[in-house]
Amino acid sequence: MRCPKCGSRDDKVIDSRQSRDGSSIRRRRQCLKCKYRYTTYEEIERSDLRVIKTNRTHEPFDRRKLAASIAKAFEKRSASLLTLEDMVDEIVHELETGGREVPSSVIGARVLEKLRGIDEVAYLRYASVYQRFHDVDQFVDAIHTLGRRIKPNALQSELFPPETTKENANTARRSRERATKDHGRI
């Protein structure tokens, strides 16, 4: 490491710790010549990921381009910057573990999958561009498909779970049969 102030190569590490997401190491260094302190980050060098576009051309993967497209879908929505960064990190990690070349359609599908679980409006915005909606009917179809999806709420249990509904129906049927059987008897 060269000191950013004097250019000397002699330094010592004062402090070393992992970053928040655990993907890099933050090191505080001090130049032994001028005593200037500075921070460096060490991370794994990733293999060059290439994107195969729909017209069969190849281009280097650009994380900023992915983040910008997702941010555009979330524009004027109530999603935190941390949520967006986590989403981008997850997608990039999935892509990097999948191989050196990835089709753009796979990237778009992964983004849609993540958006569907986070924000339906952002999902529709991204889908309208990614799937190239040409008319209103395609947009309405996407809304109806999204509306038909079951939306589980982890904080609230179901009022009538499917298993107990069948049991309750059988119990109610048996009690009605007994009531009609015993009708008129004391």
Side-chain angles (χ1 to χ4, degrees):
M1 259 324 121
R2 284 187 183 269
C3 173
K5 189 171 183 184
C6 71
S8 173
R9 290 182 175 257
D10 296 328
D11 66 6
K12 68 178 179 180
V13 175
I14 299 168
D15 182 35
S16 183
R17 55 179 79 171
Q18 274 191 344
S19 64
R20 255 186 284 152
D21 61 355
S23 64
S24 63
I25 297 175
R26 177 185 175 269
R27 299 192 195 280
R28 287 292 292 160
R29 297 177 180 267
Q30 182 175 14
C31 177
L32 295 175
K33 185 176 179 185
C34 69
K35 306 294 184 217
Y36 181 72
R37 291 186 178 196
Y38 56 99
T39 304
T40 60
Y41 291 91
E42 179 181 315
E43 62 184 8
I44 297 172
E45 185 176 9
R46 309 244 185 239
S47 62
D48 291 335
L49 188 63
R50 309 244 340 135
V51 178
I52 305 169
K53 306 293 277 181
T54 53
N55 63 0
R56 304 244 187 246
T57 60
H58 292 64
E59 71 178 42
F61 176 75
D62 187 0
R63 179 190 173 96
R64 289 175 296 185
K65 191 173 178 182
L66 175 66
S69 68
I70 293 171
K72 190 72 172 169
F74 274 107
E75 196 169 85
K76 296 185 182 179
R77 300 293 299 158
S78 61
S80 71
L81 191 59
L82 191 59
T83 304
L84 299 178
E85 279 300 315
D86 288 343
M87 186 174 150
V88 171
D89 287 341
E90 288 175 19
I91 293 170
V92 169
H93 178 70
E94 290 172 9
L95 295 174
E96 288 176 339
T97 56
R100 292 185 60 132
E101 291 186 342
V102 63
S104 61
S105 59
V106 170
I107 297 171
R110 294 249 170 95
V111 171
L112 284 175
E113 182 182 309
K114 301 281 185 194
L115 284 174
R116 179 177 277 173
I118 296 173
D119 187 331
E120 292 176 345
V121 173
Y123 167 84
L124 286 170
R125 286 178 175 173
Y126 193 89
S128 68
V129 175
Y130 170 68
Q131 295 173 346
R132 295 191 175 117
F133 293 166
H134 295 291
D135 57 13
V136 176
D137 292 335
Q138 289 178 320
F139 204 93
V140 171
D141 289 342
I143 293 171
H144 287 307
T145 303
L146 194 59
R148 277 186 244 122
R149 193 182 66 132
I150 297 172
K151 299 171 192 156
N153 185 347
L155 301 175
Q156 182 177 357
S157 60
E158 288 189 39
L159 184 58
F160 301 107
E163 298 82 34
T164 57
T165 304
K166 292 176 186 174
E167 292 171 7
N168 290 345
N170 289 337
T171 305
R173 184 177 44 81
R174 279 190 232 117
S175 61
R176 276 195 310 269
E177 288 172 357
R178 254 187 268 126
T180 56
K181 188 193 249 184
D182 294 337
H183 183 70
R185 293 188 190 165
I186 300 180

